[in-house]
Amino acid sequence: MSDSIDTCRIDQARLSGYNETDKASYFETLFEQWLESFKKKLNDDQEHNKKLNEGPRTELIHWKGRLQDITLLSELTRSRDFMIVKNFLGSNSNRKG
């Protein structure tokens, strides 16, 4: 998951010319992509775990990697860009309702 460090990034250059409606659409798409990426990573790990039958050492290595991935996902959800998008979408949904 090392390539996912850039997963939760906003393209500031793209965003600069957007009005509020375009920004909302961009953020919705971005947020969906991020969540899909997280879900895929977690599901891939579960599929891999089903295939493990090589003993306790392999199991420990797997769970150590899984913990690192979950920690990274947790950190990504607290990143500046992730919070900007989440808060923007949350405040827009409050205005609509």
Side-chain angles (χ1 to χ4, degrees):
M1 183 131 188
S2 60
D3 60 323
S4 71
I5 295 291
D6 293 329
T7 298
C8 296
R9 301 270 180 185
I10 298 171
D11 184 352
Q12 293 294 339
R14 182 177 177 184
L15 198 61
S16 64
Y18 283 176
N19 61 30
E20 286 297 305
T21 304
D22 293 337
K23 189 185 288 189
S25 177
Y26 172 65
F27 281 168
E28 286 172 4
T29 302
L30 203 55
F31 202 71
E32 288 173 10
Q33 289 172 352
W34 294 344
L35 294 180
E36 191 61 36
S37 171
F38 293 176
K39 190 185 324 180
K40 182 180 181 321
K41 180 58 183 166
L42 293 173
N43 288 337
D44 286 351
D45 281 350
Q46 285 180 339
E47 288 301 314
H48 177 72
N49 191 36
K50 290 178 185 175
K51 297 175 186 173
L52 288 178
N53 259 343
E54 299 175 20
R57 184 173 190 75
T58 304
E59 187 77 14
L60 288 172
I61 291 168
H62 166 75
W63 285 107
K64 181 180 177 184
R66 180 117 167 115
L67 178 61
Q68 289 171 338
D69 289 342
I70 291 170
T71 301
L72 177 60
L73 290 174
S74 176
E75 289 171 4
L76 286 171
T77 62
R78 291 186 302 247
S79 71
R80 180 181 160 274
D81 286 355
F82 188 93
M83 294 304 288
I84 288 170
V85 172
K86 182 180 137 208
N87 291 336
F88 180 89
L89 294 175
S91 67
N92 277 349
S93 68
N94 289 339
R95 284 187 233 160
K96 290 178 183 176

